[in-house]
Amino acid sequence: MSRGGVFLGVDVGTGSARAGLFDEKGKLLGSASSPIQMWKEKDCIEQSSTDIWLAVCAAVKSACSLASVAAEDVVGLGFAATCSLVAVDADGSPVSVSWSGDARRNIIVWMDHRAVDQADRINARNSPVLQYCGGGVSPEMQAPKLLWVKENLQESWSMVCRWMDLSDWLAYRATGDDTRSLCTTVCKWTYLGHAHMGQWKESDSRDMEACGWDEVFWEEIGLGELVEGNRAKIGRSVAFPGHPLGSGLTPAAAKELGLLPGTPVGTSLIDAHAGGVGVMESVPDAESKADLSDEEAIRRRMVLVCGTSTCHMAVSKNKLFIPGVWGPFWSAMVPEYWLTEGGQSATGALLDYIVENHVAAPLLANHAASQSVSIFELMNKLLSSMSHEQNMPFLSALSQDTHVLPDFHGNRSPVADPKSKGVICGLTLDTSEKHLALLYLATIQGIAYGTRHIVEHCNAHGHKIDTLLACGGLAKNSLYIQEHADIIGCPIILPRENESVLLGASILGAVAAKKFSGVRDAMKSLNAAGKVVHPSSDPRVKKYHDAKYQIFRSLYEQQLSHRSTMVQALQ
């Protein structure tokens, strides 16, 4: 197949819209970002689709300008975004999902936890569809959020014509085609993608009638009206990621983006899943296992998409039901493979919180600025010098008296407890920069122990994960990656290109433009490995982390015991 031209990927994350342009070898030519607005009030976190589209247009134009890429050079475009919920009326105008009634605020952000009660009530019904999301929906999924809007904002509920995942809305805004992605519907809407298993192959690349909705489920939870009218409000047709939508960019969208009308646009992916597509085939020859088939080799990998939160993506040819871990989702990331998706709801967000709320943060930030480095790079250097000063056997040992349970925004996997709280054990009256660095190290380790828990849990239920691939903002932090390698005991492969989510999104455009036969073919051509980080060979490091891991596991058990004690005390 001809593979010339430039592929454009757009990713709308939690705080910004980003665009990146890649050549036919997967090399990043240029990228740009534009901030997006967010409203936070307690558990309610909202955004504006109007604001996001303007940010997308700005990022695309800036990226094209920086990369000196003309509109006619862009042969395909793909969108990825957080799994936030968008509400629009019959004209495509925003409908408020906010207590404020502000029409701009028409998106419930993925991390919004207003629907914890609705999620509990949905899970209490034990519907058969719930076995495909780890045994129960999370308040971060769409069914609980939809039920919340119906129960609390009746006027908005009656006005909404389309409820869409953000990445599907972006593709709809660009093309006018309302076809939904198997990725979004299967992972966040309880859609049963395997209803299409014997129907089409990915290479057929067509939209399919949405036959995977479990109508009994929607009626049971009180949202039966969403499956009326051929399920128009939540999706009449679905397609594999990368399927070409409509007639490509509409003239209006093309003008706003600075691109050509008709430019092919691929069916979207959730941002974490785009990261998986952008990195999962990035295995250097030295790390590939010659005795394994392609199918067996890919099953041994887990991708960590490390941003505001972290998603843990692994695939298999057989469906594996893993309690507390989302999935199995058929064709939600790599077509015709079952996806297992673990996650931690706060990782980058947690590190920011720990740093920003420490009294030494302003001083450390000033020092970092004066040295033209990030505050995290400065803390990494500080920890290295502390390790030498204190004559530690290895840097990780600095945290021997400080233990962190990182569930500050609940536990997504594997205990699936949105009510879980964070724990910091070992606090003192110290307010120094060194104390902040120590707390930062212990938090990184707590996050890594959480990932180890997910990996061990998945392997105990049928996976054989022995290699990790990491991408996203936190993957650029050398200490973060080394601690993960040491704690989990696996090599961690980093991609050649930093922007794996944008690469994954651009792959959708490349497939839509027919430059590749399908997503997996494009992954093999455009994914490329960079550095490989190996676990420490020092047996003392393993012994140390094994001990801290046991303490980490006990912190949650203690929390459950404390919770039970207080419930009894209040009876």
Side-chain angles (χ1 to χ4, degrees):
M1 281 193 169
S2 124
R3 290 177 180 172
V6 174
F7 313 128
L8 170 61
V10 172
D11 168 40
V12 176
T14 306
S16 65
R18 303 179 309 131
L21 295 142
F22 297 84
D23 67 15
E24 68 277 6
K25 290 189 168 58
K27 193 97 175 116
L28 180 66
L29 304 174
S31 65
S33 70
S34 185
I36 55 180
Q37 193 172 1
M38 186 151 59
W39 292 270
K40 285 186 179 182
E41 288 159 23
K42 295 184 180 174
D43 284 335
C44 296
I45 307 174
E46 295 149 359
Q47 288 177 328
S48 158
S49 63
T50 305
D51 172 60
I52 284 174
W53 184 253
L54 290 171
V56 164
C57 294
V60 168
K61 288 175 180 172
S62 294
C64 289
S65 174
L66 286 166
S68 301
V69 168
E72 56 269 24
D73 296 329
V74 177
V75 298
L77 161 63
F79 291 99
T82 63
C83 47
S84 300
L85 178 65
V86 185
V88 292
D89 66 14
D91 299 325
S93 300
V95 177
S96 177
V97 291
S98 172
W99 282 121
S100 69
D102 184 343
R104 291 174 302 168
R105 293 156 72 164
N106 71 317
I107 297 178
I108 301 179
V109 178
W110 67 269
M111 66 198 297
D112 181 291
H113 272 203
R114 71 182 70 183
V116 170
D117 175 57
Q118 286 76 13
D120 286 345
R121 282 189 275 133
I122 289 169
N123 291 336
R125 294 188 165 273
N126 287 321
S127 167
V129 299
L130 298 180
Q131 66 183 310
Y132 289 94
C133 43
V137 292
S138 157
E140 294 174 16
M141 292 179 177
Q142 309 304 14
K145 290 175 179 170
L146 290 162
L147 187 56
W148 184 94
V149 175
K150 181 180 178 181
E151 292 177 348
N152 292 280
L153 301 174
Q154 192 58 53
E155 187 179 348
S156 291
W157 180 256
S158 61
M159 289 171 62
V160 176
C161 180
R162 285 186 177 88
W163 293 102
M164 307 186 80
D165 238 75
L166 178 54
S167 59
D168 282 333
W169 178 82
L170 290 164
Y172 168 67
R173 179 68 177 75
T175 66
D177 186 340
D178 188 21
T179 298
R180 312 296 174 98
S181 168
L182 275 176
C183 176
T184 58
T185 51
V186 171
C187 293
K188 302 301 168 187
W189 297 74
T190 71
Y191 187 82
L192 302 175
H194 49 283
H196 302 281
M197 241 174 143
Q199 198 175 2
W200 315 116
K201 293 279 185 195
E202 179 212 3
S203 53
D204 288 331
S205 191
R206 66 188 76 184
D207 58 343
M208 305 172 284
E209 184 187 347
C211 60
W213 294 113
D214 185 318
E215 299 192 359
V216 173
F217 166 75
W218 291 93
E219 285 161 10
E220 278 181 354
I221 67 170
L223 295 175
E225 60 264 55
L226 294 180
V227 292
E228 292 170 4
N230 199 22
R231 304 164 295 276
K233 289 187 177 183
I234 56 174
R236 290 179 176 176
S237 60
V238 295
F240 284 103
H243 163 76
L245 292 168
S247 303
L249 285 179
T250 63
K255 186 176 180 184
E256 292 165 326
L257 291 162
L259 301 172
L260 297 184
T263 302
V265 177
T267 307
S268 66
L269 284 165
I270 298 166
D271 54 356
H273 303 64
V277 165
V279 79
M280 200 158 213
E281 289 288 355
S282 303
V283 178
D285 292 341
E287 297 293 326
S288 60
K289 299 174 175 69
D291 56 325
L292 298 180
S293 66
D294 260 12
E295 186 179 302
E296 180 65 27
I298 198 171
R299 289 173 49 209
R300 302 239 174 180
R301 302 171 198 154
M302 176 177 272
V303 176
L304 309 185
V305 187
C306 316
T308 303
S309 64
T310 294
C311 293
H312 306 69
M313 328 289 279
V315 297
S316 60
K317 267 296 184 183
N318 304 315
K319 57 183 172 183
L320 300 172
F321 294 99
I322 306 176
V325 176
W326 295 348
F329 301 134
W330 187 74
S331 286
M333 188 175 78
V334 180
E336 300 176 64
Y337 279 79
W338 293 90
L339 171 67
T340 293
E341 182 184 347
Q344 292 164 290
S345 292
T347 49
L350 175 57
L351 287 168
D352 289 343
Y353 174 85
I354 292 292
V355 172
E356 289 164 8
N357 285 280
H358 195 283
V359 71
L363 193 61
L364 204 59
N366 287 339
H367 289 162
S370 69
Q371 296 177 37
S372 299
V373 296
S374 75
I375 197 167
F376 299 110
E377 287 173 281
L378 189 60
M379 285 191 290
N380 291 354
K381 283 185 191 172
L382 187 53
L383 287 164
S384 183
S385 65
M386 287 165 63
S387 178
H388 288 120
E389 283 167 19
Q390 297 177 35
N391 202 24
M392 288 289 169
F394 43 86
L395 185 147
S396 303
L398 285 165
S399 66
Q400 59 192 284
D401 295 325
T402 311
H403 308 282
V404 175
L405 182 71
D407 295 356
F408 285 55
H409 199 57
N411 183 289
R412 190 188 296 170
S413 308
V415 298
D417 180 359
K419 297 186 179 79
S420 185
K421 303 291 188 286
V423 177
I424 301 175
C425 176
L427 290 175
T428 70
L429 294 177
D430 191 348
T431 58
S432 68
E433 293 176 50
K434 287 183 176 179
H435 178 260
L436 173 50
L438 182 62
L439 200 53
Y440 155 76
L441 171 63
T443 304
I444 285 177
Q445 290 171 344
I447 292 167
Y449 298 131
T451 292
R452 173 170 166 175
H453 193 189
I454 291 167
V455 171
E456 287 182 356
H457 188 69
C458 288
N459 283 348
H461 287 83
H463 279 285
K464 296 177 181 176
I465 297 154
D466 61 13
T467 303
L468 302 180
L469 302 102
C471 63
L474 293 176
K476 299 168 189 173
N477 183 329
S478 58
L479 179 68
Y480 187 90
I481 294 300
Q482 187 63 60
E483 290 297 302
H484 274 70
D486 291 348
I487 285 165
I488 301 157
C490 293
I492 301 183
I493 302 167
L494 300 173
R496 181 190 67 195
E497 304 299 331
N498 277 330
E499 301 293 355
S500 298
V501 175
L502 290 175
L503 176 59
S506 77
I507 281 173
L508 303 172
V511 173
K514 307 294 187 192
K515 297 295 181 180
F516 297 92
S517 63
V519 167
R520 186 86 192 275
D521 178 34
M523 288 166 66
K524 287 182 174 181
S525 292
L526 301 179
N527 286 191
K531 184 179 178 184
V532 181
V533 178
H534 291 277
S536 169
S537 57
D538 185 341
R540 296 174 301 172
V541 173
K542 181 181 186 308
K543 183 181 178 184
Y544 176 81
H545 285 306
D546 285 349
K548 280 205 79 172
Y549 180 60
Q550 292 310 312
I551 294 170
F552 163 85
R553 293 289 297 271
S554 74
L555 291 175
Y556 179 70
E557 299 304 322
Q558 289 171 29
Q559 181 179 158
L560 289 182
S561 172
H562 297 163
R563 199 188 292 176
S564 172
T565 299
M566 296 315 298
V567 166
Q568 289 170 29
L570 288 167
Q571 281 175 351

